[in-house]
Each structure stands twice: as C-alpha cells, then as structure tokens.
Amino acid sequence: MKQLFPLHASIMVDSFDDIILDNEFSLVRLKENSIVCTYDHFLLEIQAEKLHIKSMSSDRLHLHVQNLQLFNLTRKEKTV
C-alpha cells in the first residue's frame, strides 16, 4: 500500500519559545534546564534558562523554553 503523504520527522520552532518534535524519540537525559534525546537519526540537545514539558507521548514532544541558550542537532554515527 502506497502512502499518499510522506511521513517523516519534523522539528517545529515557534519564536524559540515552543519546540515540537513530531516523530518517535527517546530521552537520553532530562534535567531542570536541559534535555538530550535521540530523534530520527539525530541527537538533539537543548539548554535554556527554564525548560517546561507541555506534553509528551511516544511520538510527540512539546517543550516550552525561556531564554534558549543552546539548540544543538547532530547526526548520529551509523553503526555497521
């Protein structure tokens, strides 16, 4: 069965206050003002003065941040 619309990971950022990961992800580390997670083929690290999880499910993470300090997205190395 062919899909009519492509399904892929996306990151939406709204004024750097709201960050939404819209696909399956795995939490690696969660602290009061930072989060590290794996997302698709990437490692995402976010640091802010204040970090608040608005909602979280198995395939969506909605964060609210104040004074974003770091947004680092790096490709994970492929393992053979």
Side-chain angles (χ1 to χ4, degrees):
M1 180 175 186
K2 190 173 181 179
Q3 295 178 347
L4 296 176
F5 302 100
L7 300 176
H8 59 279
S10 66
I11 298 174
M12 295 168 270
V13 179
D14 183 20
S15 303
F16 292 100
D17 290 338
D18 286 309
I19 300 171
I20 300 169
L21 306 178
D22 196 17
N23 202 356
E24 291 183 11
F25 67 96
S26 297
L27 283 177
V28 175
R29 184 175 60 241
L30 178 62
K31 294 185 178 178
E32 186 177 340
N33 62 348
S34 67
I35 188 170
V36 176
C37 60
T38 58
Y39 183 68
D40 202 22
H41 300 292
F42 298 92
L43 184 68
L44 175 62
E45 181 179 5
I46 298 171
Q47 290 180 353
E49 187 176 302
K50 290 187 180 180
L51 179 73
H52 173 75
I53 297 175
K54 284 182 133 179
S55 65
M56 182 170 60
S57 66
S58 63
D59 61 351
R60 185 178 170 103
L61 175 64
H62 187 166
L63 299 171
H64 179 74
V65 297
Q66 288 182 334
N67 297 331
L68 182 66
Q69 297 167 345
L70 175 72
F71 187 98
N72 189 23
L73 184 66
T74 54
R75 182 176 289 277
K76 292 188 302 188
E77 293 185 23
K78 293 181 181 179
T79 57
V80 179

PDB file of all heavy atoms in Angstrom, residues 30-61:
ATOM      1  N   LEU A  30      17.405  14.170  30.974  1.00  0.00           N
ATOM      2  CA  LEU A  30      16.473  15.262  31.256  1.00  0.00           C
ATOM      3  C   LEU A  30      16.863  15.891  32.580  1.00  0.00           C
ATOM      4  O   LEU A  30      16.953  15.206  33.593  1.00  0.00           O
ATOM      5  CB  LEU A  30      15.034  14.750  31.320  1.00  0.00           C
ATOM      6  CG  LEU A  30      13.955  15.765  31.661  1.00  0.00           C
ATOM      7  CD1 LEU A  30      13.890  16.866  30.605  1.00  0.00           C
ATOM      8  CD2 LEU A  30      12.609  15.075  31.803  1.00  0.00           C
ATOM      9  N   LYS A  31      17.137  17.187  32.542  1.00  0.00           N
ATOM     10  CA  LYS A  31      17.471  17.938  33.753  1.00  0.00           C
ATOM     11  C   LYS A  31      16.539  19.143  33.835  1.00  0.00           C
ATOM     12  O   LYS A  31      15.712  19.368  32.944  1.00  0.00           O
ATOM     13  CB  LYS A  31      18.926  18.396  33.723  1.00  0.00           C
ATOM     14  CG  LYS A  31      19.921  17.248  33.781  1.00  0.00           C
ATOM     15  CD  LYS A  31      21.321  17.774  33.875  1.00  0.00           C
ATOM     16  CE  LYS A  31      22.304  16.621  33.993  1.00  0.00           C
ATOM     17  NZ  LYS A  31      23.677  17.084  34.042  1.00  0.00           N
ATOM     18  N   GLU A  32      16.697  19.913  34.884  1.00  0.00           N
ATOM     19  CA  GLU A  32      15.812  21.052  35.112  1.00  0.00           C
ATOM     20  C   GLU A  32      15.839  22.060  33.963  1.00  0.00           C
ATOM     21  O   GLU A  32      14.806  22.608  33.594  1.00  0.00           O
ATOM     22  CB  GLU A  32      16.198  21.754  36.417  1.00  0.00           C
ATOM     23  CG  GLU A  32      15.251  22.861  36.808  1.00  0.00           C
ATOM     24  CD  GLU A  32      15.616  23.477  38.142  1.00  0.00           C
ATOM     25  OE1 GLU A  32      16.337  22.841  38.922  1.00  0.00           O
ATOM     26  OE2 GLU A  32      15.170  24.602  38.393  1.00  0.00           O
ATOM     27  N   ASN A  33      17.005  22.281  33.382  1.00  0.00           N
ATOM     28  CA  ASN A  33      17.092  23.283  32.314  1.00  0.00           C
ATOM     29  C   ASN A  33      17.718  22.741  31.023  1.00  0.00           C
ATOM     30  O   ASN A  33      18.158  23.506  30.177  1.00  0.00           O
ATOM     31  CB  ASN A  33      17.859  24.507  32.800  1.00  0.00           C
ATOM     32  CG  ASN A  33      19.289  24.173  33.180  1.00  0.00           C
ATOM     33  OD1 ASN A  33      19.657  23.009  33.303  1.00  0.00           O
ATOM     34  ND2 ASN A  33      20.092  25.190  33.356  1.00  0.00           N
ATOM     35  N   SER A  34      17.748  21.410  30.866  1.00  0.00           N
ATOM     36  CA  SER A  34      18.290  20.849  29.627  1.00  0.00           C
ATOM     37  C   SER A  34      17.657  19.500  29.326  1.00  0.00           C
ATOM     38  O   SER A  34      17.147  18.815  30.211  1.00  0.00           O
ATOM     39  CB  SER A  34      19.812  20.700  29.717  1.00  0.00           C
ATOM     40  OG  SER A  34      20.155  19.732  30.660  1.00  0.00           O
ATOM     41  N   ILE A  35      17.709  19.153  28.050  1.00  0.00           N
ATOM     42  CA  ILE A  35      17.193  17.865  27.599  1.00  0.00           C
ATOM     43  C   ILE A  35      18.089  17.366  26.471  1.00  0.00           C
ATOM     44  O   ILE A  35      18.571  18.161  25.649  1.00  0.00           O
ATOM     45  CB  ILE A  35      15.722  17.973  27.135  1.00  0.00           C
ATOM     46  CG1 ILE A  35      15.122  16.601  26.859  1.00  0.00           C
ATOM     47  CG2 ILE A  35      15.589  18.892  25.947  1.00  0.00           C
ATOM     48  CD1 ILE A  35      13.624  16.611  26.625  1.00  0.00           C
ATOM     49  N   VAL A  36      18.330  16.074  26.457  1.00  0.00           N
ATOM     50  CA  VAL A  36      19.054  15.424  25.370  1.00  0.00           C
ATOM     51  C   VAL A  36      18.211  14.232  24.951  1.00  0.00           C
ATOM     52  O   VAL A  36      17.761  13.449  25.787  1.00  0.00           O
ATOM     53  CB  VAL A  36      20.459  14.960  25.807  1.00  0.00           C
ATOM     54  CG1 VAL A  36      21.156  14.209  24.676  1.00  0.00           C
ATOM     55  CG2 VAL A  36      21.296  16.135  26.267  1.00  0.00           C
ATOM     56  N   CYS A  37      17.955  14.125  23.653  1.00  0.00           N
ATOM     57  CA  CYS A  37      17.174  12.994  23.158  1.00  0.00           C
ATOM     58  C   CYS A  37      17.669  12.590  21.782  1.00  0.00           C
ATOM     59  O   CYS A  37      18.306  13.363  21.082  1.00  0.00           O
ATOM     60  CB  CYS A  37      15.683  13.323  23.138  1.00  0.00           C
ATOM     61  SG  CYS A  37      15.226  14.702  22.106  1.00  0.00           S
ATOM     62  N   THR A  38      17.389  11.332  21.430  1.00  0.00           N
ATOM     63  CA  THR A  38      17.656  10.869  20.080  1.00  0.00           C
ATOM     64  C   THR A  38      16.366  11.042  19.295  1.00  0.00           C
ATOM     65  O   THR A  38      15.268  10.800  19.810  1.00  0.00           O
ATOM     66  CB  THR A  38      18.104   9.401  20.043  1.00  0.00           C
ATOM     67  OG1 THR A  38      17.100   8.588  20.645  1.00  0.00           O
ATOM     68  CG2 THR A  38      19.423   9.223  20.773  1.00  0.00           C
ATOM     69  N   TYR A  39      16.523  11.477  18.067  1.00  0.00           N
ATOM     70  CA  TYR A  39      15.372  11.838  17.252  1.00  0.00           C
ATOM     71  C   TYR A  39      15.680  11.496  15.815  1.00  0.00           C
ATOM     72  O   TYR A  39      16.589  12.096  15.221  1.00  0.00           O
ATOM     73  CB  TYR A  39      15.092  13.335  17.431  1.00  0.00           C
ATOM     74  CG  TYR A  39      13.894  13.845  16.718  1.00  0.00           C
ATOM     75  CD1 TYR A  39      12.626  13.461  17.111  1.00  0.00           C
ATOM     76  CD2 TYR A  39      14.024  14.716  15.662  1.00  0.00           C
ATOM     77  CE1 TYR A  39      11.519  13.932  16.468  1.00  0.00           C
ATOM     78  CE2 TYR A  39      12.916  15.196  15.005  1.00  0.00           C
ATOM     79  CZ  TYR A  39      11.667  14.808  15.414  1.00  0.00           C
ATOM     80  OH  TYR A  39      10.562  15.279  14.763  1.00  0.00           O
ATOM     81  N   ASP A  40      14.980  10.502  15.281  1.00  0.00           N
ATOM     82  CA  ASP A  40      15.256  10.004  13.937  1.00  0.00           C
ATOM     83  C   ASP A  40      16.718   9.558  13.904  1.00  0.00           C
ATOM     84  O   ASP A  40      17.105   8.704  14.673  1.00  0.00           O
ATOM     85  CB  ASP A  40      14.915  11.062  12.891  1.00  0.00           C
ATOM     86  CG  ASP A  40      14.674  10.467  11.518  1.00  0.00           C
ATOM     87  OD1 ASP A  40      14.368   9.259  11.427  1.00  0.00           O
ATOM     88  OD2 ASP A  40      14.789  11.202  10.526  1.00  0.00           O
ATOM     89  N   HIS A  41      17.560  10.120  13.070  1.00  0.00           N
ATOM     90  CA  HIS A  41      18.980   9.755  13.011  1.00  0.00           C
ATOM     91  C   HIS A  41      19.846  10.843  13.634  1.00  0.00           C
ATOM     92  O   HIS A  41      21.004  11.014  13.246  1.00  0.00           O
ATOM     93  CB  HIS A  41      19.407   9.516  11.567  1.00  0.00           C
ATOM     94  CG  HIS A  41      18.653   8.413  10.910  1.00  0.00           C
ATOM     95  ND1 HIS A  41      18.802   7.090  11.284  1.00  0.00           N
ATOM     96  CD2 HIS A  41      17.716   8.409   9.942  1.00  0.00           C
ATOM     97  CE1 HIS A  41      18.000   6.331  10.561  1.00  0.00           C
ATOM     98  NE2 HIS A  41      17.330   7.111   9.735  1.00  0.00           N
ATOM     99  N   PHE A  42      19.284  11.569  14.587  1.00  0.00           N
ATOM    100  CA  PHE A  42      19.983  12.709  15.162  1.00  0.00           C
ATOM    101  C   PHE A  42      19.986  12.668  16.684  1.00  0.00           C
ATOM    102  O   PHE A  42      19.156  12.025  17.315  1.00  0.00           O
ATOM    103  CB  PHE A  42      19.311  14.022  14.710  1.00  0.00           C
ATOM    104  CG  PHE A  42      19.357  14.232  13.239  1.00  0.00           C
ATOM    105  CD1 PHE A  42      18.319  13.806  12.433  1.00  0.00           C
ATOM    106  CD2 PHE A  42      20.451  14.828  12.644  1.00  0.00           C
ATOM    107  CE1 PHE A  42      18.354  13.995  11.066  1.00  0.00           C
ATOM    108  CE2 PHE A  42      20.502  15.017  11.279  1.00  0.00           C
ATOM    109  CZ  PHE A  42      19.456  14.595  10.484  1.00  0.00           C
ATOM    110  N   LEU A  43      20.924  13.391  17.251  1.00  0.00           N
ATOM    111  CA  LEU A  43      20.987  13.622  18.686  1.00  0.00           C
ATOM    112  C   LEU A  43      20.683  15.099  18.892  1.00  0.00           C
ATOM    113  O   LEU A  43      21.335  15.969  18.300  1.00  0.00           O
ATOM    114  CB  LEU A  43      22.378  13.292  19.223  1.00  0.00           C
ATOM    115  CG  LEU A  43      22.563  13.388  20.726  1.00  0.00           C
ATOM    116  CD1 LEU A  43      21.761  12.287  21.428  1.00  0.00           C
ATOM    117  CD2 LEU A  43      24.021  13.281  21.099  1.00  0.00           C
ATOM    118  N   LEU A  44      19.690  15.407  19.701  1.00  0.00           N
ATOM    119  CA  LEU A  44      19.246  16.779  19.921  1.00  0.00           C
ATOM    120  C   LEU A  44      19.519  17.167  21.364  1.00  0.00           C
ATOM    121  O   LEU A  44      19.139  16.450  22.286  1.00  0.00           O
ATOM    122  CB  LEU A  44      17.749  16.904  19.628  1.00  0.00           C
ATOM    123  CG  LEU A  44      17.111  18.259  19.927  1.00  0.00           C
ATOM    124  CD1 LEU A  44      17.740  19.367  19.082  1.00  0.00           C
ATOM    125  CD2 LEU A  44      15.611  18.199  19.688  1.00  0.00           C
ATOM    126  N   GLU A  45      20.194  18.296  21.537  1.00  0.00           N
ATOM    127  CA  GLU A  45      20.467  18.826  22.870  1.00  0.00           C
ATOM    128  C   GLU A  45      19.913  20.243  22.947  1.00  0.00           C
ATOM    129  O   GLU A  45      20.190  21.078  22.091  1.00  0.00           O
ATOM    130  CB  GLU A  45      21.965  18.843  23.137  1.00  0.00           C
ATOM    131  CG  GLU A  45      22.329  19.351  24.506  1.00  0.00           C
ATOM    132  CD  GLU A  45      23.827  19.336  24.774  1.00  0.00           C
ATOM    133  OE1 GLU A  45      24.598  19.017  23.858  1.00  0.00           O
ATOM    134  OE2 GLU A  45      24.215  19.661  25.900  1.00  0.00           O
ATOM    135  N   ILE A  46      19.114  20.500  23.985  1.00  0.00           N
ATOM    136  CA  ILE A  46      18.515  21.816  24.194  1.00  0.00           C
ATOM    137  C   ILE A  46      18.816  22.248  25.618  1.00  0.00           C
ATOM    138  O   ILE A  46      18.618  21.480  26.560  1.00  0.00           O
ATOM    139  CB  ILE A  46      16.992  21.779  23.977  1.00  0.00           C
ATOM    140  CG1 ILE A  46      16.664  21.385  22.542  1.00  0.00           C
ATOM    141  CG2 ILE A  46      16.355  23.125  24.323  1.00  0.00           C
ATOM    142  CD1 ILE A  46      15.197  21.117  22.293  1.00  0.00           C
ATOM    143  N   GLN A  47      19.294  23.495  25.760  1.00  0.00           N
ATOM    144  CA  GLN A  47      19.500  24.084  27.077  1.00  0.00           C
ATOM    145  C   GLN A  47      18.828  25.445  27.096  1.00  0.00           C
ATOM    146  O   GLN A  47      18.879  26.181  26.104  1.00  0.00           O
ATOM    147  CB  GLN A  47      20.985  24.267  27.385  1.00  0.00           C
ATOM    148  CG  GLN A  47      21.725  22.987  27.616  1.00  0.00           C
ATOM    149  CD  GLN A  47      23.200  23.220  27.919  1.00  0.00           C
ATOM    150  OE1 GLN A  47      23.696  24.326  27.842  1.00  0.00           O
ATOM    151  NE2 GLN A  47      23.891  22.144  28.244  1.00  0.00           N
ATOM    152  N   ALA A  48      18.211  25.766  28.215  1.00  0.00           N
ATOM    153  CA  ALA A  48      17.528  27.044  28.357  1.00  0.00           C
ATOM    154  C   ALA A  48      17.559  27.460  29.816  1.00  0.00           C
ATOM    155  O   ALA A  48      17.830  26.641  30.703  1.00  0.00           O
ATOM    156  CB  ALA A  48      16.085  26.936  27.872  1.00  0.00           C
ATOM    157  N   GLU A  49      17.256  28.721  30.051  1.00  0.00           N
ATOM    158  CA  GLU A  49      17.176  29.188  31.431  1.00  0.00           C
ATOM    159  C   GLU A  49      16.078  28.426  32.169  1.00  0.00           C
ATOM    160  O   GLU A  49      16.252  27.990  33.290  1.00  0.00           O
ATOM    161  CB  GLU A  49      16.897  30.689  31.453  1.00  0.00           C
ATOM    162  CG  GLU A  49      16.956  31.303  32.827  1.00  0.00           C
ATOM    163  CD  GLU A  49      16.776  32.799  32.759  1.00  0.00           C
ATOM    164  OE1 GLU A  49      17.580  33.459  32.072  1.00  0.00           O
ATOM    165  OE2 GLU A  49      15.823  33.291  33.385  1.00  0.00           O
ATOM    166  N   LYS A  50      14.928  28.267  31.501  1.00  0.00           N
ATOM    167  CA  LYS A  50      13.826  27.466  32.042  1.00  0.00           C
ATOM    168  C   LYS A  50      13.309  26.560  30.945  1.00  0.00           C
ATOM    169  O   LYS A  50      13.163  26.974  29.803  1.00  0.00           O
ATOM    170  CB  LYS A  50      12.696  28.355  32.554  1.00  0.00           C
ATOM    171  CG  LYS A  50      13.037  29.115  33.802  1.00  0.00           C
ATOM    172  CD  LYS A  50      11.830  29.841  34.337  1.00  0.00           C
ATOM    173  CE  LYS A  50      12.192  30.600  35.606  1.00  0.00           C
ATOM    174  NZ  LYS A  50      11.050  31.321  36.152  1.00  0.00           N
ATOM    175  N   LEU A  51      13.008  25.322  31.301  1.00  0.00           N
ATOM    176  CA  LEU A  51      12.527  24.321  30.355  1.00  0.00           C
ATOM    177  C   LEU A  51      11.295  23.652  30.960  1.00  0.00           C
ATOM    178  O   LEU A  51      11.335  23.205  32.096  1.00  0.00           O
ATOM    179  CB  LEU A  51      13.630  23.287  30.110  1.00  0.00           C
ATOM    180  CG  LEU A  51      13.338  22.146  29.174  1.00  0.00           C
ATOM    181  CD1 LEU A  51      13.304  22.642  27.735  1.00  0.00           C
ATOM    182  CD2 LEU A  51      14.386  21.070  29.313  1.00  0.00           C
ATOM    183  N   HIS A  52      10.215  23.615  30.188  1.00  0.00           N
ATOM    184  CA  HIS A  52       8.963  23.039  30.672  1.00  0.00           C
ATOM    185  C   HIS A  52       8.401  22.108  29.598  1.00  0.00           C
ATOM    186  O   HIS A  52       8.299  22.492  28.433  1.00  0.00           O
ATOM    187  CB  HIS A  52       7.955  24.157  30.968  1.00  0.00           C
ATOM    188  CG  HIS A  52       6.593  23.675  31.321  1.00  0.00           C
ATOM    189  ND1 HIS A  52       6.304  23.133  32.553  1.00  0.00           N
ATOM    190  CD2 HIS A  52       5.447  23.653  30.615  1.00  0.00           C
ATOM    191  CE1 HIS A  52       5.010  22.795  32.564  1.00  0.00           C
ATOM    192  NE2 HIS A  52       4.490  23.104  31.399  1.00  0.00           N
ATOM    193  N   ILE A  53       8.064  20.881  29.979  1.00  0.00           N
ATOM    194  CA  ILE A  53       7.449  19.944  29.041  1.00  0.00           C
ATOM    195  C   ILE A  53       5.946  20.191  29.055  1.00  0.00           C
ATOM    196  O   ILE A  53       5.284  19.964  30.061  1.00  0.00           O
ATOM    197  CB  ILE A  53       7.765  18.488  29.412  1.00  0.00           C
ATOM    198  CG1 ILE A  53       9.264  18.242  29.318  1.00  0.00           C
ATOM    199  CG2 ILE A  53       7.003  17.529  28.504  1.00  0.00           C
ATOM    200  CD1 ILE A  53       9.697  16.866  29.769  1.00  0.00           C
ATOM    201  N   LYS A  54       5.424  20.702  27.934  1.00  0.00           N
ATOM    202  CA  LYS A  54       3.981  20.952  27.828  1.00  0.00           C
ATOM    203  C   LYS A  54       3.211  19.651  27.638  1.00  0.00           C
ATOM    204  O   LYS A  54       2.164  19.445  28.232  1.00  0.00           O
ATOM    205  CB  LYS A  54       3.683  21.906  26.673  1.00  0.00           C
ATOM    206  CG  LYS A  54       4.003  23.340  26.972  1.00  0.00           C
ATOM    207  CD  LYS A  54       3.638  24.192  25.792  1.00  0.00           C
ATOM    208  CE  LYS A  54       2.871  25.405  26.245  1.00  0.00           C
ATOM    209  NZ  LYS A  54       2.524  26.265  25.114  1.00  0.00           N
ATOM    210  N   SER A  55       3.728  18.777  26.766  1.00  0.00           N
ATOM    211  CA  SER A  55       3.108  17.476  26.555  1.00  0.00           C
ATOM    212  C   SER A  55       4.150  16.511  26.003  1.00  0.00           C
ATOM    213  O   SER A  55       5.107  16.914  25.354  1.00  0.00           O
ATOM    214  CB  SER A  55       1.912  17.574  25.601  1.00  0.00           C
ATOM    215  OG  SER A  55       2.334  17.966  24.322  1.00  0.00           O
ATOM    216  N   MET A  56       3.916  15.221  26.285  1.00  0.00           N
ATOM    217  CA  MET A  56       4.841  14.198  25.819  1.00  0.00           C
ATOM    218  C   MET A  56       4.076  12.908  25.595  1.00  0.00           C
ATOM    219  O   MET A  56       3.269  12.493  26.428  1.00  0.00           O
ATOM    220  CB  MET A  56       5.955  13.978  26.851  1.00  0.00           C
ATOM    221  CG  MET A  56       6.976  12.967  26.419  1.00  0.00           C
ATOM    222  SD  MET A  56       8.460  12.891  27.465  1.00  0.00           S
ATOM    223  CE  MET A  56       7.795  12.471  29.041  1.00  0.00           C
ATOM    224  N   SER A  57       4.297  12.302  24.448  1.00  0.00           N
ATOM    225  CA  SER A  57       3.752  10.987  24.135  1.00  0.00           C
ATOM    226  C   SER A  57       4.856  10.205  23.436  1.00  0.00           C
ATOM    227  O   SER A  57       5.966  10.701  23.282  1.00  0.00           O
ATOM    228  CB  SER A  57       2.499  11.107  23.264  1.00  0.00           C
ATOM    229  OG  SER A  57       2.825  11.627  21.994  1.00  0.00           O
ATOM    230  N   SER A  58       4.558   9.007  22.986  1.00  0.00           N
ATOM    231  CA  SER A  58       5.589   8.184  22.350  1.00  0.00           C
ATOM    232  C   SER A  58       6.074   8.758  21.018  1.00  0.00           C
ATOM    233  O   SER A  58       7.173   8.449  20.572  1.00  0.00           O
ATOM    234  CB  SER A  58       5.078   6.765  22.134  1.00  0.00           C
ATOM    235  OG  SER A  58       3.979   6.782  21.242  1.00  0.00           O
ATOM    236  N   ASP A  59       5.267   9.602  20.387  1.00  0.00           N
ATOM    237  CA  ASP A  59       5.664  10.140  19.083  1.00  0.00           C
ATOM    238  C   ASP A  59       5.583  11.657  18.986  1.00  0.00           C
ATOM    239  O   ASP A  59       5.576  12.217  17.899  1.00  0.00           O
ATOM    240  CB  ASP A  59       4.829   9.503  17.971  1.00  0.00           C
ATOM    241  CG  ASP A  59       3.343   9.792  18.124  1.00  0.00           C
ATOM    242  OD1 ASP A  59       2.942  10.329  19.164  1.00  0.00           O
ATOM    243  OD2 ASP A  59       2.596   9.477  17.186  1.00  0.00           O
ATOM    244  N   ARG A  60       5.538  12.348  20.133  1.00  0.00           N
ATOM    245  CA  ARG A  60       5.497  13.812  20.090  1.00  0.00           C
ATOM    246  C   ARG A  60       5.975  14.385  21.421  1.00  0.00           C
ATOM    247  O   ARG A  60       5.592  13.932  22.483  1.00  0.00           O
ATOM    248  CB  ARG A  60       4.090  14.300  19.803  1.00  0.00           C
ATOM    249  CG  ARG A  60       3.992  15.799  19.624  1.00  0.00           C
ATOM    250  CD  ARG A  60       2.542  16.167  19.296  1.00  0.00           C
ATOM    251  NE  ARG A  60       2.325  17.580  19.331  1.00  0.00           N
ATOM    252  CZ  ARG A  60       2.225  18.361  18.270  1.00  0.00           C
ATOM    253  NH1 ARG A  60       2.331  17.826  17.080  1.00  0.00           N
ATOM    254  NH2 ARG A  60       2.019  19.639  18.383  1.00  0.00           N
ATOM    255  N   LEU A  61       6.827  15.411  21.324  1.00  0.00           N
ATOM    256  CA  LEU A  61       7.319  16.117  22.492  1.00  0.00           C
ATOM    257  C   LEU A  61       7.134  17.605  22.248  1.00  0.00           C
ATOM    258  O   LEU A  61       7.576  18.129  21.227  1.00  0.00           O
ATOM    259  CB  LEU A  61       8.798  15.802  22.734  1.00  0.00           C
ATOM    260  CG  LEU A  61       9.496  16.565  23.856  1.00  0.00           C
ATOM    261  CD1 LEU A  61       8.879  16.207  25.217  1.00  0.00           C
ATOM    262  CD2 LEU A  61      10.985  16.279  23.859  1.00  0.00           C
TER     263      LEU A  61
END
